[in-house]
Amino acid sequence: VSAATDDRFALVSGVVHHVAGSCSFLQSTPEAASNSGLVVGDDALLVVDTRLTPELGRNLRDYVRGEYGQRVGRLLVVNTHFHGDHWFGNQAFQDATIFSSTWTRQKLASEWAAQVDLFASIRPHQAAEFGAVQPALPNIGVRGEVEIELGGAMAKLVPMGPAHTPGDVVVLAEQDTVAYCGDIVFNSHWPVLWDADVAGWRAALQELLGRDLRVVIPGHGPAGGPELLEQMLRCLDFLEVLAEADESTWESAIVASEFRGWLHRRRVAPSVATVRAQQGVAATSSSREPSDDGEEC
Ligand SMILES: [Zn+2]
């Protein structure tokens, strides 16, 4: 590999890892926040999430064009969910067909600007970059599973919300052995539960554990295998333990836990608040309906 090649395809704030067959993923640095995926066929290339800012999206687009442009004519994009760090780069892919769940597509049509404002408030040092976001939003919403033929490679879009958000989509590839999980899986980063349905999130993780996955790609942090799904379940368990405990005990519990080194500790308090609110809702509804045997059928 020549230095010139490295310059031409230089990615900013991330590294691309080839994980299997048609599948790669871009692991972003913590500053760049969110990961992206690439499923490469002979005729089309599917990009999973377009990074945190328009600039990072352009950089990803340049990488894709430089690396695959000679042989892949058509670009497709999937936005796994509506959080801005997964679609603010969309405007670099305006010539692509952009998919999401129907829920996410409808949510963004009315509330994309609210995501810009939210990210400008939580990442004020990047407010100018978020101010450059244009609403290049999903063109096509999917409801059930959709298989897309890319030419010698398939990708399957699987709506799995409500989980991290009401409209999550997981992308499966390589005969359903590789899963681009979006923010249904965080690794080494504390999860965000602002828009979560905790019970639905657990159900989504269990559903994925029932599949024969070999590679699990999180929305944030390094990839791994199915153990990342189990780790995420344990993380939700741990947040429920904190929800039962007094806040004064949290720090010692975190230090004693497997999550002690995870980034963005400030997310713990609002996440626990979400868990507490939903535990309250669950308790209320079960007291109203004491006999729910057979509900799982
Ligand atoms: Zn998210």
Side-chain angles (χ1 to χ4, degrees), residues 36-247:
S36 291
L38 302 175
V39 185
V40 184
D42 294 330
D43 306 320
L45 186 150
L46 179 71
V47 175
V48 184
D49 290 336
T50 57
R51 310 197 78 191
L52 173 68
T53 66
E55 183 64 35
L56 288 171
R58 262 192 303 279
N59 182 245
L60 174 60
R61 172 59 192 253
D62 288 347
Y63 172 83
V64 167
R65 187 188 289 129
E67 198 79 351
Y68 303 104
Q70 300 302 313
R71 63 186 187 88
V72 178
R74 185 164 298 277
L75 274 180
L76 308 173
V77 169
V78 176
N79 293 137
T80 57
H81 62 293
F82 81 102
H83 291 156
D85 52 326
H86 298 260
W87 67 265
F88 283 158
N90 276 13
Q91 66 206 59
F93 295 88
Q94 300 237 32
D95 56 337
T97 301
I98 305 178
F99 295 85
S100 70
S101 68
T102 300
W103 187 91
T104 295
R105 180 173 134 79
Q106 290 172 349
K107 176 83 170 173
L108 284 177
S110 58
E111 297 191 30
W112 67 268
Q115 282 295 301
V116 174
D117 292 344
L118 173 67
F119 275 82
S121 71
I122 60 179
R123 289 176 167 262
H125 58 291
Q126 291 169 304
E129 291 178 69
F130 300 131
V133 169
Q134 296 163 10
L137 301 178
N139 315 106
I140 295 182
V142 302
R143 289 183 194 273
E145 290 191 7
V146 174
E147 290 188 66
I148 302 177
E149 164 72 52
L150 304 171
M154 298 289 290
K156 187 186 289 181
L157 280 45
V158 186
M160 298 199 79
H164 172 69
T165 71
D168 301 296
V169 167
V170 168
V171 178
L172 302 176
E174 287 296 305
Q175 289 78 48
D176 299 351
T177 62
V178 176
Y180 298 91
C181 296
D183 285 358
I184 289 176
V185 178
F186 285 73
N187 183 18
S188 306
H189 295 234
W190 285 100
V192 171
L193 274 68
W194 298 326
D195 302 298
D197 177 318
V198 179
W201 196 331
R202 288 178 177 285
L205 289 163
Q206 293 289 1
E207 204 271 338
L208 288 168
L209 274 168
R211 293 175 180 262
D212 193 20
L213 296 175
R214 293 190 186 162
V215 181
V216 171
I217 296 164
H220 300 261
E227 74 281 357
L228 294 190
L229 303 168
E230 289 166 344
Q231 176 181 260
M232 195 66 221
L233 280 167
R234 292 196 304 275
C235 184
L236 295 177
D237 289 343
F238 183 70
L239 291 171
E240 296 201 335
V241 168
L242 296 186
E244 302 283 335
D246 188 88
E247 188 165 348

